[in-house]
Amino acid sequence: MNTATQIISSKDLLKHWQGHRSLTRRVIEAFPEKDFFEFSIGGMRPFSELTSELLAIGAPAMKEIVNREGKPYDEASKKLSTKAQYLEKWDEATEEINNYWRQLKDENFSQTFNLFGQYEFPVIENIFYFIDNEIHHRGQGYVYLRILGIEPPFFWERG
Amino acid sequence: MNTATQIISSKDLLKHWQGHRSLTRRVIEAFPEKDFFEFSIGGMRPFSELTSELLAIGAPAMKEIVNREGKPYDEASKKLSTKAQYLEKWDEATEEINNYWRQLKDENFSQTFNLFGQYEFPVIENIFYFIDNEIHHRGQGYVYLRILGIEPPFFWERG
């Protein structure tokens, strides 16, 4: 394998995603318990519901991609009652994503897979969607925090 | 070059970014003229200023990366007076980004460059930052639009 021509390696793309997930975890932490579940504006969902969406995508999606098993998207099972529960599930998902990612071979990224039985795209496109969708919703979360008078974490903090 | 092992090609990464830029353009268009310059919440910048930031990054950054010329970041020159002017500059930047991107070789992505004389990272990391920063601020823009009672474009529309 000629790694010199890779514009990004699989390992670095995982690191990139997990860096974003680490920042999202910090945004979850920044919300007061009550506001995490109740604050919303413009008819949008509170950040707890956006977090449920992210939990319903990340690890379950990677499991499907690796096992090539198309199960329906399930957000209901990711609806939790406390911030602590969300953070616990977040950390479990971090490990699961790492474990499934290790099973992905470079040639898998260009293969098409019908994720959740409805998103039929090359694996790399679905993975970019997971990351972009997380950044997008977290951007919403930043506005929620600002409106609540809370300073969000620095966007470039990913450690 | 063994392209079979690329998890994403340079061409596809450009397409990915331009897809996002096309969506951001639609978000600019969705703002009423006045709100584009004046609406803000939580002490954040109006969307026109966020757009100036994106214009000060995209094409100028690609020019620097390709020419290996570290000039300071300049947002002041990207401050415009009408939405039409912003859209015009946006389209010019689209072409400039395409032109500079064509001059990037696969091996350039892993090379370190001190962007704007202050962000010293591998080129691929800076490029991911451009894309992620745009998604992040556009996420803010979505909230602004929702608060204004305007339906934003679909997140997955990138054409």
Side-chain angles (χ1 to χ4, degrees), chain B residues 112-115 117-122 125-126:
Chain B
T112 295
F113 170 66
N114 193 19
L115 182 67
Q118 58 175 320
Y119 303 106
E120 191 154 17
F121 296 104
E125 287 187 28
N126 269 324

Side-chain angles (χ1 to χ4, degrees), chain A residues 86-123:
Chain A
Y86 273 97
L87 290 170
E88 194 188 330
K89 286 290 170 193
W90 195 263
D91 294 338
E92 285 175 21
T94 302
E95 291 309 308
E96 286 176 57
I97 289 168
N98 285 341
N99 290 337
Y100 289 118
W101 193 282
R102 269 185 223 114
Q103 300 173 54
L104 268 189
K105 298 189 185 84
D106 284 356
E107 57 265 34
N108 295 143
F109 286 88
S110 59
Q111 292 163 355
T112 295
F113 171 65
N114 193 19
L115 182 67
F116 298 129
Q118 57 177 320
Y119 303 105
E120 192 155 16
F121 296 105
V123 166

Side-chain angles (χ1 to χ4, degrees), chain A residues 21 32 48 50 53 63-64 69-70 73 87 92 99 107-108 110-111 120 122 129 138 143-144 147 149-150 154 159:
Chain A
R21 293 188 71 263
S48 57
L50 300 176
E53 178 183 311
K63 184 178 180 183
E64 284 210 0
E69 276 178 7
Y73 175 73
L87 290 170
E92 285 175 21
N99 290 337
E107 57 265 34
N108 295 143
S110 59
Q111 292 163 355
E120 192 155 16
Y129 191 88
R138 193 180 56 212
V143 182
Y144 291 2
I147 294 173
I150 296 162
F154 292 119

Side-chain angles (χ1 to χ4, degrees), chain A residues 1 5-8 10 16 20 41 44 106 109 124 128-129 132 135-136 140 142-143 146-147 155, chain B residues 1 5-8 16 20 41 44 106 109 124 128-129 132 135-136 140 142-143 146-147 155:
Chain A
M1 192 176 75
T5 60
Q6 287 273 18
I7 68 166
I8 184 163
S10 170
H16 179 72
H20 274 299
I41 193 160
M44 306 184 93
D106 284 356
F109 286 88
I124 184 69
F128 271 125
Y129 191 88
D132 298 346
I135 301 168
H136 174 72
Q140 273 181 250
Y142 269 65
V143 182
R146 288 276 181 202
I147 294 173
F155 182 64
Chain B
M1 191 177 76
T5 61
Q6 287 272 18
I7 68 167
I8 186 165
H16 178 72
H20 273 299
I41 193 160
M44 307 183 92
D106 284 356
F109 287 89
I124 183 70
F128 271 126
Y129 191 88
D132 298 347
I135 301 170
H136 174 71
Q140 271 181 251
Y142 269 65
V143 182
R146 289 277 183 200
I147 295 173
F155 181 64

